[in-house]
């Protein structure tokens, strides 16, 4: 996928396979591709437009070919939604393979594709990309935990099903509104809300490793004031914010905020904020950075009593902060 950039665009076309590879290598980093067969003429065109937090790729290829992208540390991780107009596209991740054509979509994590194949003659494909950090945030809010491992997201979605129609309609709206520097690219607030809605639909409607947990969670949509409160917590987690401060920032009373969190998050705002800070502390503890002592990390995330922090931490994660720190030397891979 395109390297990290707030705005990036590429409009190119040609009639040789080598010319296409040369053009795409500059946009995708290390790009390895080969045609399915030998062709004397290989007409192609590609339009790429990036406007945080989304990107749109529209590609035309006269003949089928296959490729691999060797991601670098600067390559953005995306939720990829492939909408073939003509022809098709297949993605392989490990032993799993999924294909999509004009009546289906392909949904996957852009950095987890081991192998991609463009299928059919004169294929025309739109690929909508959403910054994977939005998906991570959605997972954290939906399941009250941040994923530490792959979601194992690779799915072919039939656009005639209710789930497929919901995602296809929203994706199509984004594609039309982004194409040719469209109106959605001119309105950052609308872009943020639409991409968040798309991430919500994918997390709830497309099968992945945590789908089974949805049966244990209330399916009601979290109200706006609870979502804004959570956004405010994330943005100010490093500051000594209080629940009255959060309620004032959202524009509701503390009582309303309490009711909302109990109804839709099954906890209190204070407990939820503490959980976010615990997660942040755990992420620091799991980093191999011994310049930060455990006490420094404790204070950094608002825990002024080390003994109380250790007790709460162990109750949530089943191990003490010092035990977590030791695991950076011998990771077990058991984190969610």
């Amino acid at each position: 996928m395109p390297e990290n950039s707030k705005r990036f665009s590429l409009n190119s076309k040609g009639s040789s396979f080598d010319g296409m590879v040369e053009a795409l290598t500059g946009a995708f980093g290390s790009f390895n591709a080969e045609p399915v067969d030998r062709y004397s003429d290989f007409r192609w065109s590609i339009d790429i437009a990036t406007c945080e937090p989304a990107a749109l790729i529209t590609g035309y290829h006269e003949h089928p070919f296959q490729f691999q992208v060797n991601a670098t540390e600067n390559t953005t991780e995306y939720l990829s939604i492939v909408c073939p107009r003509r022809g098709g596209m297949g993605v392989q991740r490990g032993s799993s393979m999924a294909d999509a054509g004009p009546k289906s979509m392909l949904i996957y994590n852009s950095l987890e594709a081991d192998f991609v194949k463009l299928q059919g003659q004169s294929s025309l494909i739109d690929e909508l990309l959403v910054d994977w950090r939005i998906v991570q945030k959605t997972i954290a809010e939906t399941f009250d935990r941040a994923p530490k491992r792959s979601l194992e997201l690779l799915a072919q979605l039939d656009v005639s099903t209710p789930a497929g129609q919901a995602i296809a309609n929203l994706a199509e709206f984004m594609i039309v509104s982004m194409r040719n520097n469209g109106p959605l690219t001119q309105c950052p607030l609308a872009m943020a809300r639409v991409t968040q809605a798309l991430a919500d639909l994918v997390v709830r409607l497309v099968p992945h490793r945590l789908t089974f947990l949805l049966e244990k969670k209330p399916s009601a949509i979290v109200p706006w004031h609870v979502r804004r409160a959570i956004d405010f917590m994330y943005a100010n987690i490093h500051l000594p914010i209080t629940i009255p401060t959060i309620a004032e920032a959202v524009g509701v009373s503390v009582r309303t905020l309490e009711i909302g969190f109990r109804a839709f998050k099954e906890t209190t705002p204070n407990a939820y904020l503490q959980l976010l800070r615990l997660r942040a502390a755990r992420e620091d503890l799991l980093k191999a950075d011994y310049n930060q002592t455990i006490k420094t990390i404790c204070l950094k995330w608002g825990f002024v009593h080390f003994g109380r922090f250790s007790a709460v931490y162990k109750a949530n994660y089943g191990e003490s902060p010092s035990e977590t720190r030791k695991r950076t030397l011998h990771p077990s891979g058991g984190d969610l």
Side-chain angles (χ1 to χ4, degrees):
M1 296 300 108
E3 303 295 315
N4 279 327
S5 175
K6 288 188 175 182
R7 280 191 177 272
F8 172 88
S9 63
L10 171 69
N11 186 305
S12 187
K13 61 182 179 180
S15 58
S16 73
F17 187 82
D18 290 342
M20 181 190 71
V21 173
E22 182 179 354
L24 293 181
T25 296
F28 290 89
S30 179
F31 180 84
N32 302 320
E34 59 182 12
V36 173
D37 205 346
R38 293 185 177 275
Y39 309 107
S40 59
D41 193 35
F42 191 98
R43 287 191 294 273
W44 60 274
S45 67
I46 188 164
D47 292 306
I48 304 177
T50 299
C51 181
E52 288 190 348
L56 174 62
I57 301 176
T58 300
Y60 166 80
H61 310 94
E62 186 176 19
H63 301 291
F65 71 98
Q66 52 200 21
F67 70 88
Q68 293 174 303
V69 175
N70 299 322
T72 70
E73 62 180 9
N74 294 320
T75 304
T76 302
E77 186 174 16
Y78 285 110
L79 164 68
S80 176
I81 300 179
V82 179
C83 303
R85 311 303 183 180
R86 291 195 307 271
M89 177 171 162
V91 171
Q92 183 171 346
R93 180 184 58 78
S95 60
S96 300
M97 183 76 184
D99 297 274
K103 295 184 179 180
S104 60
M105 295 180 297
L106 190 61
I107 300 178
Y108 69 102
N109 178 305
S110 66
L111 294 189
E112 294 182 358
D114 296 322
F115 190 80
V116 180
K117 184 175 182 180
L118 279 300
Q119 304 160 344
Q121 300 294 322
S122 300
S123 66
L124 180 63
I125 293 175
D126 284 322
E127 186 169 6
L128 179 63
L129 307 172
V130 174
D131 194 316
W132 189 256
R133 288 173 295 183
I134 297 176
V135 177
Q136 290 178 314
K137 178 183 174 184
T138 303
I139 289 289
E141 292 179 357
T142 303
F143 301 107
D144 290 332
R145 64 189 75 188
K148 299 295 183 181
R149 292 162 44 200
S150 167
L151 279 185
E152 300 176 8
L153 179 65
L154 176 59
Q156 178 181 332
L157 207 59
D158 187 341
V159 298
S160 66
T161 65
Q165 286 180 354
I167 294 174
N169 288 342
L170 188 52
E172 189 67 25
F173 167 77
M174 289 188 65
I175 290 170
V176 171
S177 301
M178 290 177 64
R179 200 185 302 281
N180 298 322
N181 201 32
L184 199 55
T185 66
Q186 310 301 317
C187 186
L189 180 58
M191 175 71 84
R193 288 177 175 173
V194 173
T195 51
Q196 181 61 67
L198 185 59
D200 286 339
L201 286 177
V202 169
V203 167
R204 291 185 178 275
L205 300 180
V206 179
H208 52 77
R209 188 175 60 84
L210 300 181
T211 297
F212 74 98
L213 293 176
L214 288 171
E215 299 175 358
K216 302 178 181 180
K217 301 293 294 180
S219 59
I221 299 175
V222 177
W224 66 269
H225 65 283
V226 174
R227 295 184 68 89
R228 288 187 184 177
I230 292 172
D231 288 343
F232 185 82
M233 290 178 184
Y234 271 106
N236 298 279
I237 191 175
H238 60 293
L239 300 175
I241 56 175
T242 63
I243 302 308
T245 302
I246 297 170
E248 182 179 359
V250 174
V252 298
S253 67
V254 172
R255 174 66 174 165
T256 299
L257 200 62
E258 293 274 357
I259 293 173
F261 268 82
R262 288 189 181 278
F264 293 92
K265 288 299 181 181
E266 300 177 353
T267 188
T268 65
N270 193 58
Y272 195 89
L273 177 60
Q274 183 183 72
L275 180 63
L276 295 184
R277 286 174 167 162
L278 277 174
R279 289 177 187 158
R282 183 172 176 81
E283 289 179 2
D284 277 355
L285 289 168
L286 286 168
K287 295 176 183 176
D289 180 6
Y290 289 93
N291 292 324
Q292 289 191 94
T293 66
I294 295 177
K295 186 175 182 179
T296 298
I297 293 172
C298 175
L299 294 172
K300 174 183 176 181
W301 297 111
F303 297 96
V304 295
H305 301 290
F306 182 72
R308 189 177 302 167
F309 166 72
S310 296
V312 173
Y313 186 94
K314 188 168 186 177
N316 277 268
Y317 296 110
E319 61 184 12
S320 67
S322 60
E323 289 171 332
T324 299
R325 171 53 63 87
K326 289 177 183 177
R327 290 201 304 110
T328 60
L329 296 176
H330 305 285
S332 63
D335 288 298
L336 180 68

